[in-house]
Amino acid sequence: MVKAWAFWPTKRLAQVVLAPFFSIRVQGKENLPRDTGFVLLPKHQRWVDIPLLSLAASRPLYYVAKYELFRIPPIGWYLKSLGGIPLNRAQPVRTKSSLQKVLAALSSGQGVVVFPEGTYYEGKIGPVRTGVIRFILNKIEVPYVPVGIHYRKGFWRTKVNIRFGAPIFASSAPGLASFMEEIMKKIVGLSGLV
């Protein structure tokens, strides 16, 4: 679970540290569900997407992230306190408890961030990884919110536009492939990559 003692001071620190470098514009925040769990599916452009997305959202979020980030005990413990959920893509069986945490967060009305590309691809769309999304689709019905992140170099600071799209339900598409195609088209448009 996200720990308030870790989350709020870290969010405030991120605001102070990132403000000289990034100017953030947020659009579509009203598209974030308030009364139900939801999955955020953002375009992954840079490593800094994670703290910037946290600043753009008005509440704590859970982040599915590669387990390697959690291997050093103090760092792993701190990331988990901030809502990090480790995922071992090489050995998915070791990720079973993490996937249960994803379901628990969604069932309790929380937002879970899953980067569909798995890693960052700046200025283009990378191959889509569907494992976690497929797992969620098979276990619980929640809205999926596509998110676009667009960076533009400014005179002093980089301008970042974070756009939350309208929620999409898996029932709107006949299968995983067509659902992901619909989601990725929305992400491309929201990110200004068209």
Side-chain angles (χ1 to χ4, degrees), residues 73-183:
I75 294 172
W77 169 80
Y78 187 66
L79 291 175
K80 288 178 184 177
S81 298
L82 293 174
I85 300 173
L87 178 69
N88 188 333
R89 290 187 293 227
Q91 297 177 312
V93 73
R94 293 186 172 205
T95 304
K96 191 173 181 179
S97 66
S98 294
L99 293 174
Q100 294 306 317
K101 289 176 185 171
V102 168
L103 291 180
L106 292 170
S107 297
S108 66
Q110 303 301 315
V112 174
V113 177
V114 177
F115 291 101
E117 300 157 290
T119 189
Y120 48 88
Y121 292 88
E122 190 168 353
K124 64 180 181 177
I125 293 293
V128 178
R129 296 178 177 260
T130 60
V132 175
I133 297 165
R134 183 185 317 112
F135 174 81
I136 296 169
L137 284 170
N138 288 332
K139 299 292 185 182
I140 188 171
E141 186 170 338
V142 292
Y144 293 78
V145 179
V147 184
I149 302 177
H150 178 74
Y151 293 87
R152 188 167 47 96
K153 191 69 179 158
F155 185 68
W156 292 106
R157 300 187 293 173
T158 299
K159 297 179 181 185
V160 184
N161 193 14
I162 298 176
R163 298 174 65 194
F164 297 101
I168 300 171
F169 286 86
S171 56
S172 70
L176 177 64
S178 58
F179 176 65
M180 289 310 302
E181 184 178 340
E182 180 183 358
I183 288 283

